[in-house]
Amino acid sequence: MDAEPALIATGLREAGCAEARRLTVALSGGPDSVALLDLAQRALELPDVSAREVAAIHVNHGLQPESDAWAAFCEELCRERGIALTVVPVTVVATGSVEANARDARYRAFADALESGGVLLLAHHFDDQVETWLFRTLRGDARRTMPPHRQLGGGTLVRPLLGVSRQQLLDHLCLHKLDHVVDPSNADTSYSRNFLREAVLPLLRQHDSGFEAKVAAAMRSDTERDELLAALAELDRTPLETDAGVLRLARLAAIPAPRARNVLRHWLSERGFRQPTTRALDAAIATVAAGRRVDIRVADTRLVAYQGLLHAIPRDLAPFEASGRRWQGESELLLGSGRLVAARVSGGIDARSLRLAPIGEGQRLRVHRDGPRRLVRDLMREAGIPPWERERIPLLFDGERLIGVPGFRDSSPVVGASSRVAEGQTGWEFRWWPST
């Protein structure tokens, strides 16, 4: 299979995105993504491609001395081709696996940038698929191949080049005289994936001339198995999942452990979390089955039980900013941990300006004129605010005086008795929509 524009059309059709009007290419500046960018532009001329525009996104991880130069290369390349480019700088967590953390940061940037119904094209090819399959097999993962397409944020991620080899993409670059950058970290064999690419796979290919065909057959079998397991997970998950996308613990505990693992694995994957190990899933299932308190770290995920439901949240959720913020009549404030929405209602709070600050220890609020001053943490619990969100929601202050807590999603706000407007008058009502 040669690298040709028709691959883009096929990938879009198989992903159900044939009617997409714009294609966004994940552009690193390396040979694979530059070839994909060229193929995507050429695909606009095909009669079965509805898209009229190609855009690009470059994620600057800042991990290499050349990072800014690669961003500049992408900017110049896109300028020459008349392509709109978005450059997104990200901060990669220094602890743990740098590879995995960089990948997580990159995909978060992709998801944030992808508009509803949008299409993101990635340049993964057959050699990448082989490396991924072998890497995940040796790690003991249940799902070992990269899917040709999947949901990402509000749009769809598509990998149209999985049937094309790295060499075929290099040949395309040579044929069309396309320049690209080289990432020296790809040759660093201290990284496991690079070691497989540079040291292990060449020996396997040298030892067995039929290696590629055998691996391709094994990956096809894995793909079929994954499809069957996904169908089973969907059947099992339907009675477990609420409309809010969380799982009923009692029902999860009632199904056999292998099927429960399968449900959790697909449930987490659909939410964009990293694939957990079987050992981690076993620990989670055992905890659920034993009826113990569930608060487990699994890969980049935290599984937490609350009010009989299992929630999956990012492992490291940032609290509301310690320095606080000001509200000065805005109908909406976008903040790091969520979104504050204000509306005029009958009743509510009488305020023109408020200080927003995170929860502190021992804070109390009187919500009924003749009632006691109660701990804010207790009021939050009664209002249905999950424990992991209580550090992320801003409290409302008039100067140094605590006057209320925004409503969490659709729940009612908690307002201090002395801060409400008089009956029949209008005031402000605040609601908080968390970022996860």
Side-chain angles (χ1 to χ4, degrees), residues 22 24-25 27 55-59 75 78 83-88 113:
R22 181 168 72 166
T24 301
V25 173
L27 182 65
I57 178 171
H58 174 83
V59 178
E75 289 173 340
C78 289
I83 292 173
L85 173 69
T86 301
V87 176
V88 182

Side-chain angles (χ1 to χ4, degrees), residues 65-186:
E66 303 91 346
S67 293
D68 290 341
W70 296 338
F73 170 84
C74 292
E75 289 173 340
E76 178 62 18
L77 175 65
C78 289
R79 187 190 63 77
E80 292 174 353
R81 289 175 165 261
I83 292 173
L85 173 69
T86 301
V87 176
V88 182
V90 297
T91 300
V92 178
V93 178
T95 57
S97 168
V98 175
E99 286 179 291
N101 294 338
R103 179 191 180 282
D104 290 345
R106 182 165 62 252
Y107 278 82
R108 280 195 299 271
F110 290 157
D112 291 343
L114 196 57
E115 70 273 14
S116 178
V119 173
L120 178 73
L121 302 180
L122 266 64
H124 293 124
H125 46 69
F126 179 77
D127 297 71
D128 291 325
Q129 185 75 294
V130 172
E131 292 162 16
T132 297
W133 177 81
L134 185 56
F135 179 76
R136 291 179 177 176
T137 298
L138 293 173
R139 195 170 61 181
D141 288 357
R143 303 178 71 182
R144 296 189 279 266
T145 58
M146 293 183 289
H149 50 82
R150 68 173 177 87
Q151 181 180 347
L152 180 66
T156 304
L157 177 156
V158 182
R159 298 182 174 100
L161 305 181
L162 290 179
V164 178
S165 71
R166 177 181 290 112
Q167 186 57 53
Q168 287 170 315
L169 292 179
L170 292 174
D171 291 344
H172 180 85
L173 294 177
C174 183
L175 176 64
H176 297 284
K177 298 180 174 57
L178 300 175
D179 198 9
H180 60 85
V181 300
V182 176
D183 182 351
S185 70
N186 288 335

Side-chain angles (χ1 to χ4, degrees), residues 28 183 268 392-393:
S28 68
D183 182 351
L268 292 172
R392 292 163 50 78
I393 185 170

Side-chain angles (χ1 to χ4, degrees), residues 289-310:
R292 298 194 299 268
R293 177 175 176 269
V294 180
D295 190 346
I296 302 172
R297 269 67 172 172
V298 179
D300 60 340
T301 317
R302 186 177 165 201
L303 295 177
V304 188
Y306 179 63
Q307 297 182 340
L309 300 172
L310 187 66

Side-chain angles (χ1 to χ4, degrees), residues 228-246:
L228 291 172
L229 289 175
L232 178 61
E234 187 65 27
L235 286 174
D236 284 341
R237 195 177 70 187
T238 299
L240 304 180
E241 193 169 22
T242 70
D243 291 341
V246 295

